């Protein structure tokens, strides 16, 4: 144990701060906002962990990373060991260290958070994962496990699919991931912007899986290119993790005007296709000097911050409840505000107004006020009579949510679905078809990267049992 | 990578590519399309699958080079490859026996029409084909279509081949003749042409199917970029279509959305032309 500090000294250490790019500079480029910790800072922060016996942080982590152990090795400056532990538990630690909402997961359970600030587990996970990426030659080589001769197909190359693939490959199964798009990562690639998650990180994490023997076939749309039935004949088990990529429409007049995007289209153009951020990319995007993004989640924050970087003078969040009710992470809201995003709260869109040439000119809105709590405990927004007003906008982005894409399930009638079209799966991920497992947003509806990864890890364990 | 086995010029700027894509070739049905990307950094472009040979593992694509990206695709020589070919996508054509059917193709739409017309003929329909172009050299696949059509009517705007005028003129004649009046019409081509056909058949109550060509990105229903209004409802052409009831389609809305990126396309075309000129100058 890295016990060169007494408990008292450990408890006296304050939480480290994440260095960030200056807001005025970063709001005009796509560089990563959070810059990462230095070695000294990381080691000191790791020493803040008191190595408590009951390890509540591990329970708070959906993939069950051995947090005290990797922090202990980091505190002792044994980075190869720290990386070995971390990578053994988590297929995508450099991703999780960046995009997980640690404040509601591992760090929420940290004992040090009871009186003071929790250990910055996310920052340290990122530090160790990034170190491992740059120092691959210092890591112990782990040989491939003996082959079981069993083959597993994974549908979807997002966080759930990648995690499951890593676990299954580690168990010695032959794993093939089928991905509909031309590149890997799912929402990590097309949804989360470069300034939160540099795309090179996905490439490196994915290449680690490929080195473990995972095969990835892009441009295969299960349900179209191959059916679920064909996959079942060819493979011993299946894991379906094709996400919840169907945009919910606003259903207000003017939705089909030029300059109205779904969040998925807006982000896919910029993130996957590199529109507006790589001068050599051939996919265009309508940037807009005034942009209104409708919604209050992390996707809305990603869209509005992207709009700023594409050159918007006024980038606005339009949300029907108040800031306290926003589902977005506090850090995202803070970053957006620092970057000059305007928050138009308690405001609901009524209509998108166009000009004579069919382009968006304004978003017609009305003011809302919060009524008494409804049966779910949330205060319901109610329209204020006569409060209509127009927000000038050239681009409107709809970030109110997504639902289950029926493309795969429509061709697999034996697969039981719930009334929202999501696949019904038990806690281990087992579906109504034996040998077919599912997880991530296709089961949960729109949730988080880390919950999807937890599903992938759980389903892989269930598949390992099933194939044993 | 998806190897290009054949690259033939059918008409000015219109190429026929045969591409090795075994999984797509096996799964494909008439009416479906693929999303193609020439190389890293390039945009994703929807192209109808003109034909497929599952045994050879190939699909045939017809591409009209109208912008920088399509130009780049048709310029790939035999032996070269497309980086990405994803599909088959969209709903297959609904084929049944209507009796007498008119299949109408305009420009590159004729190539899109071809597999569909053949499937209709194979289902026992009596197929009359009407194809049109600006002039003779833009009229394609006439002989291939004649192989299963009861008659092929050709129209050109300048009168250089067949009847002078538009495909709607020839269709008007068919409808007026009780012995030739179709029970169903399929029209595939530029939006104004499909719209004109739908307006012509509407008062006669003739079922009319059109194949729409909105802007697409993923082609799998995840972005809604290809949405079109059909019967007052928003539909995603990539998953609900691309074929729809022509009498219910909001063609004006479709035309308008198709102009969204016009200024970008002009810039890209301009840049591509300048590059070629610069190269020619540099090469003396």
């Amino acid at each position: 144990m890295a016990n060169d500090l007494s408990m008292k000294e450990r408890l006296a250490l304050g939480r480290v701060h994440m260095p960030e790019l200056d807001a005025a500079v970063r709001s005009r480029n796509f560089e990563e906002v959070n810059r990462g910790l230095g070695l000294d800072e990381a080691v000191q922060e790791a020493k803040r962990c008191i190595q408590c016996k009951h390890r509540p942080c591990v329970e708070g982590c959906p993939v069950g990373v051995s947090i005290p152990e990797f922090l202990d090795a980091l505190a002792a400056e044994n980075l190869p060991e720290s990386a070995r532990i971390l990578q053994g538990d988590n297929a995508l630690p450099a991703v999780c260290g960046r995009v997980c909402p640690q404040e509601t997961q591992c760090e929420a359970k940290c004992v040090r958070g009871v009186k003071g600030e929790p250990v910055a587990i996310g920052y340290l996970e990122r530090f160790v994962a990034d170190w491992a990426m740059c120092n691959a030659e210092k890591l112990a080589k782990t040989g491939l496990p003996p082959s079981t001769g069993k083959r597993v197909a994974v549908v979807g190359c997002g966080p759930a699919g990648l995690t499951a693939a890593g676990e299954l490959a580690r168990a010695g199964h032959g794993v093939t991931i089928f991905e509909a798009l031309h590149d890997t990562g799912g929402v990590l690639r097309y949804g989360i912007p470069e300034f939160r998650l540099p795309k090179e990180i996905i490439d490196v994490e994915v290449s680690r899986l490929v080195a473990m023997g995972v095969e990835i076939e892009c441009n295969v749309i299960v349900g179209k290119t191959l059916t679920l039935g064909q996959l079942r004949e060819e493979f011993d088990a299946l894991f379906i993790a094709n996400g919840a990529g169907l945009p919910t429409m606003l259903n207000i007049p003017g939705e089909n005007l030029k300059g109205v995007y779904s969040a998925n289209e807006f982000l896919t153009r910029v993130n996957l296709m590199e529109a507006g951020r790589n001068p050599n990319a051939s996919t265009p995007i309508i940037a807009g000097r005034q942009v209104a993004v409708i919604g209050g989640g992390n996707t809305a924050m990603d869209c509005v911050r992207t709009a700023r970087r594409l050159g918007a003078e006024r980038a606005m969040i339009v949300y029907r409840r108040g800031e306290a009710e926003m589902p977005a992470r506090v850090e995202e809201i803070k970053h957006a505000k620092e970057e000059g995003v305007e928050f138009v709260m308690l405001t609901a869109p009524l209509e998108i107004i166009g000009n004579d040439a069919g382009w968006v000119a304004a978003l017609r809105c009305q003011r809302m006020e919060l009524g008494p709590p409804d049966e779910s405990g949330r205060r319901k927004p109610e329209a204020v009579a006569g409060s209509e007003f127009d927000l000038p906008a050239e681009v409107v982005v709809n970030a109110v949510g997504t639902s289950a894409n029926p493309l795969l399930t429509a061709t697999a009638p034996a697969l039981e679905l719930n009334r929202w079209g999501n696949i019904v799966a038990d806690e281990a991920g087992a579906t109504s078809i034996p040998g077919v497992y599912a997880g991530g947003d296709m089961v949960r509806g729109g949730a988080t990267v880390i919950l999807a990864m937890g599903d992938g890890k759980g389903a892989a364990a269930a598949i390992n049992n099933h194939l044993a | 990578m998806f190897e290009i086995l054949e690259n033939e010029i059918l008409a000015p700027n219109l190429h026929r590519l045969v591409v090795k894509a075994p999984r797509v070739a096996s799964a494909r049905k008439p009416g479906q399309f693929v999303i193609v990307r020439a190389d890293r950094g390039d945009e994703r472009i929807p192209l109808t699958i003109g034909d497929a040979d599952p045994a050879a593992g190939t699909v045939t694509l017809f591409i009209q080079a109208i912008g920088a990206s399509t130009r780049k695709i048709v310029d790939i020589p035999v032996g070269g490859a497309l980086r990405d070919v994803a599909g088959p996508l969209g709903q297959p054509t609904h084929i049944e026996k209507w009796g007498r059917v008119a299949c109408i193709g305009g420009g590159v739409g004729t190539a899109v029409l071809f597999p569909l017309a053949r499937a209709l003929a194979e289902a026992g329909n009596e197929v009359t084909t009407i194809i049109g172009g600006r002039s003779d050299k833009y009229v394609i696949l006439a002989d291939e279509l004649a192989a299963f059509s009861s008659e092929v009517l050709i129209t050109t705007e300048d009168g250089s081949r067949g009847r002078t005028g538009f495909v709607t003129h020839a269709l008007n004649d068919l409808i007026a003749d009780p012995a030739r009046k179709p029970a169903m019409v399929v029209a595939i081509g530029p939006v104004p042409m499909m719209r004109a056909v739908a307006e012509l058949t509407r008062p006669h109550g003739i079922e009319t199917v059109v194949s729409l060509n909105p802007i697409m990105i993923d082609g799998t229903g995840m972005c809604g970029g290809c949405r079109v209004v059909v019967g007052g409802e928003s539909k995603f052409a990539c998953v609900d279509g691309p074929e729809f009831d022509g009498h219910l389609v909001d063609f004006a809305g479709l035309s308008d959305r198709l102009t969204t990126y016009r200024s970008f396309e002009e810039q890209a075309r301009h840049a591509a032309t300048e590059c070629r000129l610069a190269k020619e100058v540099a090469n003396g």
Side-chain angles (χ1 to χ4, degrees), chain B residues 53-100:
Chain B
D53 183 342
T58 59
V59 293
T60 304
L61 306 176
F62 296 89
I63 304 155
Q64 190 166 29
I66 44 168
S69 295
T70 41
R71 183 84 258 156
K72 186 170 176 183
I73 291 171
V74 301
D75 282 348
I76 302 173
V78 169
L82 293 164
R83 186 179 173 86
D84 301 293
V85 177
L89 293 162
Q91 298 299 323
T93 305
H94 171 69
I95 303 282
E96 64 174 88
K97 195 170 169 183
W98 280 273
R100 202 176 296 120

Side-chain angles (χ1 to χ4, degrees), chain A residues 217 225 255-256 261-262 264, chain B residues 23 43 87 222-223 227 261:
Chain A
E217 202 181 326
T225 317
E255 193 157 23
N256 293 321
Y261 286 110
S262 73
N264 268 1
Chain B
R23 290 200 194 279
E43 60 184 330
M222 77 173 222
C223 85
R227 60 193 185 272
Y261 301 101

